[in-house]
Amino acid sequence: MPDLTYLYAVAREPVSSPPGVAGSPVRTVACSGLVAYVSSVPSEQFGEEPLRRSLEDLDWLAETARAHHRVVDAVAAATTTAPVRLVTVYGDEAQVVELLERRAASFTEVLAHVTGRREWGVKAYSSPPEEPAQVGEERGGRACEGGRQAARPGTAYLQRRRATLRGREQARRQALQRADHIHRALTALAAAGYRHRAQDPRLSGRDDVMLLNGAYLVDEARAEEFAALAGRLGGDGVEIRLTGPWAPYSFTVMEPA
């Protein structure tokens, strides 16, 4: 079966690139003032049915993602780049040419939007709220205080339970307010901001709560200002982690079809 064509990104000019997915050399396809970065991939792995199975293999997926991002990052370091979604595959180069012709205006608009800008990631973490102090209760549940009988065990349990739920709800509201404040402040300085879904602790590798998982498109001339602002927004139990600069993955959202 003939090889398929894997698409990484679209830019305005050709630059050098490291090998891509499956170790294949990356080449360019030019049309309508645009340049697509592509490589050949075996249909035995990237055809519709084999690909469905491959995507369930986490090791294969991780290796493919690393190769994809390696190409995109190298191109983005040299020229304005619009990355496309991971594992975007076409039958041949002719289909890529047709894509560039059909969506030239959209690609050009996206490239204009991200020119002179890079993506920065900001994650905000907060320690889980402490459980409220237990309502006083003697072990037997019958102790007297000030001449009155203490609450029965069942009543004391319900009181503790209500206090716990109130504390959790209050902590949740405060966390949402803090995350909104951080995101609004960063977005005001950036050209654009986007909130990704907070990561599950099993994926982040942390026990604390992720308040914010944001991406921000920042003018290169304001990168230091942005980093300083992110640092100031931490404290009071909130840790800020800044990553980047990256290719503008979150702000190109190219859905080739």
Side-chain angles (χ1 to χ4, degrees), residues 148-243:
R148 293 183 301 170
Q149 186 172 344
R152 294 183 178 183
T155 303
Y157 168 78
L158 291 176
Q159 290 174 330
R160 291 198 305 274
R161 181 63 177 166
R162 292 192 189 101
T164 297
L165 293 176
R166 285 196 301 270
R168 288 176 179 172
E169 177 59 23
Q170 182 180 6
R172 187 187 71 84
R173 288 197 302 268
Q174 291 174 343
L176 290 175
Q177 292 171 358
R178 185 70 181 273
D180 288 343
H181 169 71
I182 295 170
H183 180 65
R184 286 196 302 269
L186 294 172
T187 302
L189 191 151
Y194 181 80
R195 288 181 73 166
H196 294 287
R197 180 178 300 178
Q199 291 179 328
D200 187 291
R202 291 171 295 183
L203 297 177
S204 67
R206 300 178 60 123
D207 295 329
D208 41 11
V209 178
M210 181 180 285
L211 303 180
L212 175 68
N213 184 14
Y216 303 90
L217 186 65
V218 181
D219 291 344
E220 292 178 352
R222 305 193 72 179
E224 291 187 7
E225 183 183 358
F226 181 84
L229 173 61
R232 291 196 301 271
L233 290 170
D236 295 327
V238 173
E239 178 189 349
I240 299 290
R241 287 196 60 199
L242 178 69
T243 61

Side-chain angles (χ1 to χ4, degrees), residues 139 217 254:
R139 286 195 175 185
L217 186 65
M254 301 308 297

Side-chain angles (χ1 to χ4, degrees), residues 6-135:
Y6 187 108
L7 176 62
Y8 300 88
V10 174
R12 297 193 187 97
E13 56 186 352
V15 298
S16 60
S17 167
V21 171
S24 300
V26 174
R27 61 188 185 277
T28 57
V29 177
C31 180
S32 301
L34 300 169
V35 176
Y37 288 79
V38 304
S39 68
S40 297
V41 289
S43 55
E44 292 80 6
Q45 292 184 38
F46 290 86
E48 185 174 351
E49 283 300 323
L51 183 59
R52 187 176 293 112
R53 294 190 298 269
S54 295
L55 290 174
E56 297 176 357
D57 183 339
L58 296 183
D59 291 336
W60 182 93
L61 185 59
E63 181 180 353
T64 300
R66 284 193 294 269
H68 178 98
H69 296 316
R70 185 168 58 245
V71 172
V72 171
D73 290 345
V75 175
T79 187
T80 301
T81 305
V84 300
R85 188 179 294 276
L86 182 69
V87 194
T88 298
V89 182
Y90 289 90
D92 52 31
E93 283 192 12
Q95 292 185 358
V96 176
V97 170
E98 191 274 333
L99 168 72
L100 296 180
E101 290 178 339
R102 176 167 44 87
R103 302 200 57 190
S106 296
F107 278 110
T108 300
E109 181 179 354
V110 167
L111 289 168
H113 180 57
V114 300
T115 295
R117 296 165 173 165
R118 300 297 298 274
E119 178 173 328
W120 291 83
V122 175
K123 293 181 173 62
Y125 298 92
S126 176
S127 299
E130 295 182 0
E131 296 292 338
Q134 293 186 357
V135 177

